[in-house]
Amino acid sequence: SAVISQKPSRDICQRGTSLTIQCQVDSQVTMMFWYRQQPGQSLTLIATANQGSEATYESGFVIDKFPISRPNLTFSTLTVSNMSPEDSSIYLCSVATQNIQYFGAGTRLSVL
Amino acid sequence: GNSVTQMEGPVTLSEEAFLTINCTYTATGYPSLFWYVQYPGEGLQLLLKATKADDKGSNKGFEATYRKETTSFHLEKGSVQVSDSAVYFCALSNFGNEKLTFGTGTRLTIIP
């Protein structure tokens, strides 16, 4: 299994600002994923982040809005840029190990 | 592409009732199937999984059988408890470490 720590656990932000979410894993993993869960909705994959390469974004998500860093095999960040109220969601990171994905507790973001 | 269709919620049951949450899928090849659970205010936890046809995943009294002929992975529990109140997500992935495709989630409430 994998233990994933996400920071911050929640935040309230003003529109037009940016927030960087950190994801730390207790073991080295190749693939990390970032998901968004809008209120009352299911999870939607934002991007896949592999160490040493550019993140791969899903349709509807762009790097300018959601830049991702993956500096090593245990850490990644997701930035939500130029936020609007529509960005209010839970953002979760996950890692894949031994054919299973494990999730962090998520970051609950509210944009005013 | 891949898709997961999950039973609409919310579902409300009395304690000790029998639970079934339906899940059907569309996928190419032979996907792995998962049930994840999200307790209030928390991230997702893997509940159980199955990686090939006729496999039965089980955990905490919950069971689901991978039925390739009906492309289904229904979640069952014989006697639910108040502590089972949560949102349940059915999901699939191809080749294990690939991205997860989630169903819409089913909110389950158990009343004493």
Side-chain angles (χ1 to χ4, degrees):
Chain A
S1 66
V3 178
I4 302 168
S5 301
Q6 254 187 263
K7 293 181 183 179
S9 59
R10 61 179 68 241
D11 207 341
I12 301 172
C13 301
Q14 298 296 319
R15 69 169 67 212
T17 63
S18 298
L19 176 72
T20 295
I21 301 168
Q22 299 179 2
C23 180
Q24 179 76 50
V25 190
D26 68 341
S27 58
Q28 295 184 337
V29 293
T30 302
M31 300 180 76
M32 296 181 76
F33 306 87
W34 287 98
Y35 289 84
R36 182 176 72 183
Q37 185 179 20
Q38 294 177 300
Q41 304 293 316
S42 187
L43 282 78
T44 302
L45 181 65
I46 297 171
T48 303
N50 289 341
Q51 193 270 336
S53 62
E54 294 279 335
T56 302
Y57 289 82
E58 296 298 304
S59 176
F61 297 96
V62 295
I63 188 170
D64 289 347
K65 176 66 175 177
F66 297 101
I68 288 171
S69 77
R70 182 79 201 274
N72 56 53
L73 290 172
T74 63
F75 188 78
S76 178
T77 66
L78 170 76
T79 299
V80 186
S81 303
N82 188 25
M83 288 184 285
S84 67
E86 292 70 34
D87 294 319
S88 297
S89 295
I90 300 173
Y91 293 85
L92 299 105
C93 75
S94 76
V95 303
T97 179
Q98 297 180 327
N99 297 324
I100 294 173
Q101 280 197 32
Y102 297 91
F103 287 80
T107 296
R108 284 156 179 77
L109 171 63
S110 296
V111 183
L112 305 178
Chain B
N2 295 341
S3 68
V4 176
T5 302
Q6 210 175 314
M7 177 174 158
E8 292 276 339
V11 174
T12 302
L13 295 172
S14 297
E15 204 166 19
E16 298 184 0
F18 183 86
L19 168 71
T20 299
I21 301 177
N22 290 337
C23 172
T24 57
Y25 67 89
T26 302
T28 55
Y30 300 93
S32 295
L33 301 174
F34 306 86
W35 277 100
Y36 282 85
V37 58
Q38 186 176 35
Y39 297 103
E42 300 184 13
L44 271 70
Q45 300 177 22
L46 178 66
L47 181 59
L48 53 84
K49 69 179 178 74
T51 57
K52 62 182 186 295
D54 299 325
D55 265 3
K56 178 184 284 188
S58 61
N59 186 24
K60 299 181 181 180
F62 291 89
E63 293 182 342
T65 301
Y66 190 144
R67 301 287 188 197
K68 187 165 176 59
E69 64 276 13
T70 54
T71 61
S72 66
F73 193 54
H74 304 323
L75 182 68
E76 297 182 336
K77 186 174 185 182
S79 177
V80 292
Q81 306 299 313
V82 172
S83 57
D84 294 326
S85 298
V87 180
Y88 292 81
F89 292 93
C90 186
L92 68 81
S93 71
N94 290 112
F95 313 119
N97 283 335
E98 297 289 327
K99 64 180 181 180
L100 285 168
T101 299
F102 284 91
T104 52
T106 301
R107 180 175 299 279
L108 173 68
T109 301
I110 308 301
I111 54 177

